[in-house]
Amino acid sequence: MNIRVHVFISGKVQGVFFRSSTKDMAKNLDLFGWVRNLADGRVEAVFEGKKDTIEKMLEWCRVGPEYARVTGIEVIWEEFKGDFKEFLLRR
């Protein structure tokens, strides 16, 4: 079953390669969507794919790359749309 999640990650998540690491992990897990930095210091992402794979991605997001310090994650479960053909970095 394919699902979609909209995620907001807070903490020390900008300037630590969070976006590029998220893209790499999403591609490794065969997920589609996008990731971007927000002006308030958080990272926002949308993931689409199989539920078990998205759960693995969310586990990774709770820790992030080596220099990140995640203090919070908000996950909004949404209806699968199938909008994406790849995983994108957005600005």
Side-chain angles (χ1 to χ4, degrees), residues 30-47:
D30 200 27
L31 295 175
F32 301 102
W34 53 265
V35 62
R36 70 178 174 182
N37 287 337
L38 295 175
D40 65 6
R42 295 180 298 162
V43 167
E44 177 184 21
V46 170
F47 303 107

Side-chain angles (χ1 to χ4, degrees), residues 8-13 18 40-43 61-62 69-74:
F8 296 89
I9 305 145
S10 44
K12 183 181 176 189
V13 293
F18 204 102
D40 65 6
R42 295 180 298 162
V43 167
C61 286
R62 287 182 173 86
R69 297 294 171 261
V70 176
T71 59
I73 181 170
E74 178 185 354

Side-chain angles (χ1 to χ4, degrees), residues 1-4 48-54 78 80:
M1 170 198 259
N2 286 326
I3 62 168
R4 175 184 177 116
E48 286 193 340
K50 296 186 186 317
K51 183 177 183 190
D52 60 331
T53 308
I54 285 183
E78 300 178 345
F80 178 77

